[in-house]
Amino acid sequence: AQSVTQLGSHVSVSEGALVLLRCNYSSSVPPYLFWYVQYPNQGLQLLLKYTSAATLVKGINGFEAEFKKSETSFHLTKPSAHMSDAAEYFCAVSDLYSSASKIIFGSGTRLSIRP
Amino acid sequence: SQTIHQWPATLVQPVGSPLSLECTVEGTSNPNLYWYRQAAGRGLQLLFYSVGIGQISSEVPQNLSASRPQDRQFILSSKKLLLSDSGFYLCAWSGPRAGAETQYFGPGTRLLVL
């Protein structure tokens, strides 16, 4: 069975500082991995996804994530935080072998940006 | 391009009343469709998914039901709402073939049961 663990339910960084949101996964098959962002009272927006091509994946809004098989990690980073990055971030793994490509979501990390 | 719509955006209902939330997708055919619930301050819980018209799979036994009367329409219903049904309901779609691993979400419906 696949699973995702997000370390830290709340992360706070200063504007301009490095953003690092941690995600570890468990999967018995090569995974597809995702990061989604959710702004208040909105749906989830796809930030980036890993589908077994390049291990360093670049997404929207300056975010990127690196797939590390040896560490079973898929951490999300951004070199310089902006106030508009304040949101909830979800790491997820796709169970492509199920009948409907279900996605297993982590519990989310709320990112706050200090002025 | 594909778009996904949900309505209503916000709904306040009394306990015991019925519920109908609608989700429609444009710009694709034969999508997989999903309903999620997000309780306040919590993660996403998959409620139902559908791989085709009339084909509904339930993930969690509960007070809700889902239907798919048309290829790109997905409806979430309840005959009698409970307080615990309050939350943010999200509909999502994924492609049936290439790109099927990725789900795309609608704007959500905020439901408050009083």
Side-chain angles (χ1 to χ4, degrees):
Chain A
Q2 295 175 308
S3 65
V4 170
T5 301
Q6 292 186 242
L7 303 176
S9 60
H10 186 204
V11 171
S12 180
V13 302
S14 298
E15 189 175 17
L18 171 70
V19 175
L20 171 60
L21 304 184
R22 300 177 185 273
C23 173
N24 288 89
Y25 70 93
S26 173
S27 177
S28 58
V29 298
Y32 288 176
L33 295 162
F34 310 84
W35 277 99
Y36 285 86
V37 60
Q38 184 180 31
Y39 299 101
N41 295 311
Q42 295 186 26
L44 276 70
Q45 180 181 5
L46 181 68
L47 266 181
L48 50 81
K49 65 178 179 181
Y50 167 77
T51 57
S52 74
T55 56
L56 182 62
V57 182
K58 294 187 182 298
I60 61 172
N61 302 337
F63 284 93
E64 63 182 34
E66 186 173 8
F67 172 70
K68 292 186 176 181
K69 184 178 180 180
S70 61
E71 300 178 7
T72 62
S73 68
F74 191 57
H75 302 331
L76 182 70
T77 60
K78 181 174 180 177
S80 177
H82 192 274
M83 295 300 292
S84 60
D85 295 327
E88 186 93 17
Y89 291 81
F90 292 94
C91 182
V93 60
S94 179
D95 182 8
L96 197 60
Y97 297 89
S98 69
S99 63
S101 306
K102 289 185 286 184
I103 288 183
I104 312 300
F105 285 90
S107 55
T109 297
R110 181 166 300 278
L111 176 64
S112 300
I113 311 297
R114 301 187 300 270
Chain B
S1 64
Q2 300 86 8
T3 56
I4 179 169
H5 304 279
Q6 287 186 245
W7 63 86
T10 306
L11 191 60
V12 181
Q13 291 286 92
V15 170
S17 64
L19 174 73
S20 180
L21 303 181
E22 188 165 345
C23 170
T24 58
V25 181
E26 296 177 353
T28 186
S29 298
N30 304 315
N32 295 328
L33 296 172
Y34 311 82
W35 277 114
Y36 291 86
R37 177 169 57 201
Q38 190 175 28
R42 303 183 70 176
L44 287 86
Q45 180 185 35
L46 179 62
L47 302 176
F48 302 94
Y49 66 90
S50 171
V51 299
I53 295 174
Q55 299 179 62
I56 308 295
S57 297
S58 174
E59 288 291 295
V60 181
Q62 57 204 318
N63 186 44
L64 301 170
S65 62
S67 62
R68 184 170 176 174
Q70 300 180 42
D71 181 45
R72 290 170 289 177
Q73 184 185 32
F74 205 23
I75 297 173
L76 184 69
S77 304
S78 174
K79 293 182 179 179
K80 290 185 177 182
L81 283 168
L82 306 173
L83 288 174
S84 58
D85 291 324
S86 293
F88 192 48
Y89 288 83
L90 290 161
C91 181
W93 72 274
S94 69
R97 292 181 290 277
E101 74 283 351
T102 305
Q103 291 183 19
Y104 299 93
F105 286 79
T109 295
R110 175 78 56 191
L111 172 65
L112 179 60
V113 182
L114 300 175

